[in-house]
Amino acid sequence: MRRLALLPVLLATLFLGACDDLTAPGSRSLDGQWSARIDGEEVWVSLRDDRGDIRGSGDWGFDDVSVRGERIDSEVYLIFEFDDFNPIELEGEIVSREIDGRLYGSGLEGDRVRFRRD
């Protein structure tokens, strides 16, 4: 009898555990690979989301890039840093499994971008 009482709790735990990877308002993580095309260059980054503190790295065209920033609910703020160029900032919002935002810096003045989770 006791085993039957634990079954709903076990099923709820499994369901909620499967929801950890959602990328939507109220989600828990931006962990993973993200990509976009910006001014004809392929950009991909690997992000790690530690309770809203974002860190990562990747490639922006032929340049290596490091990423740092934060997530507050569905809003995302990232700074892309290069070895030989000025940083580029992204102000965006999580929409479904995408980060929809605008880029500022290094000649970009609010250019729209959409990063998609790979």
Side-chain angles (χ1 to χ4, degrees), residues 12-25:
T13 303
L14 289 172
F15 176 75
L16 292 174
C19 294
D20 276 350
D21 197 30
L22 292 177
T23 305

Side-chain angles (χ1 to χ4, degrees), residues 37-51:
R37 192 162 224 24
I38 301 170
D39 288 340
E41 292 188 15
E42 186 70 29
V43 178
W44 74 266
V45 292
S46 178
L47 299 179
R48 174 79 174 124
D49 184 345
D50 184 16
R51 299 180 186 203

Side-chain angles (χ1 to χ4, degrees), residues 26-118:
S27 71
R28 298 180 205 168
S29 180
L30 292 179
D31 289 355
Q33 304 288 328
W34 296 84
S35 63
R37 192 162 224 24
I38 301 170
D39 288 340
E41 292 188 15
E42 186 70 29
V43 178
W44 74 266
V45 292
S46 178
L47 299 179
R48 174 79 174 124
D49 184 345
D50 184 16
R51 299 180 186 203
D53 182 35
I54 311 295
R55 299 279 184 237
S57 62
D59 292 317
W60 187 304
F62 295 105
D63 297 316
D64 291 334
V65 63
S66 63
V67 184
R68 62 182 169 85
E70 64 182 343
R71 175 188 48 81
I72 303 169
D73 294 323
S74 64
E75 295 180 7
V76 179
Y77 303 94
L78 300 175
I79 299 173
F80 298 88
E81 296 178 323
F82 306 87
D83 288 334
D84 298 324
F85 302 101
N86 292 327
I88 295 175
E89 297 180 16
L90 174 133
E91 294 179 2
E93 182 176 7
I94 301 167
V95 178
S96 186
R97 295 180 59 85
E98 300 177 335
I99 301 172
D100 189 23
R102 300 207 175 264
L103 298 171
Y104 300 92
S106 282
L108 301 169
E109 298 177 5
D111 298 25
R112 189 159 183 247
V113 65
R114 182 168 285 164
F115 277 88
R116 291 182 172 83
R117 183 176 233 162
D118 295 337

